[in-house]
Amino acid sequence: MQLYGTDISSRLLLGTAQYPSPAVLQKAIETSRAEIITVSLRRETADGSGAGFWGLLKDSGCKILPNTAGCHSVQEAVVTAQMARELFGTDWIKLEVIGNSDTLQPDVFGLVEAARLLCADGFKVFPYTTDDLVVGEKLLEAGCELLMPWGAPIGSGQGLRNPEALRAMRAHFPDVPLIVDAGIGRPSDAARAMELGMDAVLLNTAVAKAGDPVLMAQAMAQAIEAGRNGYIADPMDPRDMAVPSTPTLGMAELI
Amino acid sequence: MKIIVNAEPREVSNETLEDALTELEFTSPAVATALNGRFVPREDYPKTSLSEGDRLEVLAPMQGG
């Protein structure tokens, strides 16, 4: 798939937060074979802890997708994006403008406004949005070339709360890369998202908070690949009644 | 002068952002700054003057989803 003109072969984008240790994070990135990892910015501490993490990121060889997590206003998100561009040396930004602290639901009005400002300033915006089609259209008008609809609230692990809406997004935006961001809990959720025709899945908590994050990274990668292949292979339609799969022609008369 | 650095009150004697960051021991190249809610590009550090009560944010790479 192409994201802002860059060829990406892995359809799993991995977050870097909440792992039991940097070593487990490193191993999970390797095992997932993710090519894009998400990161954030926080206040530098006296011990300069940010520099160590930056070293780990560079060693991973992955493309860095900084986020504006925790930003509740357009101003905060835009300034954070500007800081991220300098710090990480990339014009990619995962744009989050949060509207509610409990649900971490995107403030789609602020999101569209921030996306417009950032796209005009040369950023390549990855907007974390809802599955609303009109909001999706406004984001594309603002200059976004892809959309990242939520599956369920961030960190909830509920899976796809509204698969029909994602299916509608796929039909409505046939040529726009769609990445399900947030809410995936299990490999079957990720496979389902891919079977619906999503182009990729962005995961963090589901891997980081699994009992064995490295094995879960592998399971997610397999599920995403299987789901993608399933979508391309064009599954059969379900039928109400049984249809024998073994030929009935040539059956012996045995009574 | 007294300024607010990452929400903590700090005393600095240097007037430019460039020198104040060194004084505050933010020597890592992996930081980005904002002054009073505005991003300050690294090349502007030497010509950015600080004033009493300024709010300085110094951010570093962190794990994120």
Side-chain angles (χ1 to χ4, degrees):
Chain A
M1 66 179 167
Q2 279 214 332
L3 304 179
Y4 285 101
T6 301
D7 279 319
I8 302 291
S9 55
S10 172
R11 291 173 183 273
L12 194 170
L13 287 69
L14 193 64
T16 56
Q18 307 182 75
Y19 291 81
S21 71
V24 173
L25 164 62
Q26 216 157 11
K27 198 89 183 64
I29 294 171
E30 276 171 38
T31 310
S32 72
R33 289 199 261 138
E35 289 167 50
I36 299 172
I37 52 176
T38 59
V39 299
S40 197
L41 290 86
R42 287 293 179 264
R43 285 171 170 160
E44 173 71 316
T45 50
D47 60 2
S49 59
F53 178 58
W54 188 209
L56 186 155
L57 295 179
K58 283 200 247 188
D59 290 347
S60 75
C62 292
K63 276 193 78 71
I64 304 293
L65 177 58
N67 69 26
T68 64
C71 292
H72 284 250
S73 70
V74 173
Q75 155 90 3
E76 282 174 293
V78 168
V79 173
T80 302
Q82 291 167 334
M83 296 171 90
R85 178 160 64 179
E86 181 182 84
L87 193 47
F88 297 106
T90 176
D91 50 13
W92 284 17
I93 190 77
K94 175 184 158 180
L95 182 60
E96 295 184 28
V97 182
I98 299 300
N100 181 286
S101 300
D102 291 327
T103 61
L104 298 181
Q105 179 165 358
D107 165 5
V108 294
F109 305 96
L111 179 69
V112 171
E113 193 184 334
R116 189 170 289 125
L117 292 168
L118 290 171
C119 289
D121 191 16
F123 281 90
K124 298 182 167 78
V125 176
F126 291 57
Y128 163 63
T129 184
T130 63
D131 46 34
D132 188 288
L133 297 180
V134 178
V135 173
E137 281 177 354
K138 302 258 181 224
L139 287 167
L140 298 178
E141 280 167 25
C144 298
E145 292 183 15
L146 58 84
L147 299 170
M148 300 212 295
W150 65 351
I154 294 173
S156 70
Q158 292 176 9
L160 308 180
R161 287 224 294 209
N162 194 351
E164 294 312 320
L166 294 175
R167 195 194 306 278
M169 277 192 100
R170 179 70 292 162
H172 196 71
F173 302 111
D175 303 318
V176 177
L178 299 176
I179 302 170
V180 168
D181 178 10
I184 299 291
R186 291 154 192 270
S188 51
D189 303 329
R192 182 89 197 278
M194 298 306 291
E195 284 177 18
L196 289 169
M198 299 294 107
D199 293 282
V201 169
L202 198 165
L203 295 164
N204 189 346
T205 312
V207 171
K209 290 295 184 192
D212 183 341
V214 176
L215 187 57
M216 187 57 84
Q218 185 187 6
M220 288 292 188
Q222 290 168 329
I224 287 165
E225 198 181 337
R228 176 66 186 174
N229 286 340
Y231 173 70
I232 294 170
D234 188 15
M236 62 171 282
D237 292 323
R239 293 183 282 212
D240 287 339
M241 300 301 285
V243 179
S245 45
T246 305
T248 46
L249 195 69
M251 281 283 290
E253 278 187 40
L254 299 175
I255 47 167
Chain B
M1 77 188 116
K2 196 168 271 179
I3 62 170
I4 309 295
V5 182
N6 288 351
E8 300 281 338
R10 299 285 294 268
E11 190 67 36
V12 291
S13 54
N14 287 284
E15 284 180 4
T16 70
L17 179 56
E18 172 100 338
D19 296 335
L21 285 171
T22 309
E23 183 183 344
L24 293 163
E25 296 181 344
F26 289 118
T27 50
S28 163
V31 294
T33 63
L35 187 61
N36 300 321
R38 303 266 168 228
F39 167 60
V40 184
R42 185 165 282 274
E43 65 264 25
D44 290 352
Y45 289 178
K47 60 178 177 196
T48 301
S49 320
L50 297 176
S51 307
E52 181 80 23
D54 274 352
R55 287 176 300 110
L56 176 64
E57 293 285 346
V58 183
L59 303 191
M62 199 57 58
Q63 293 82 350

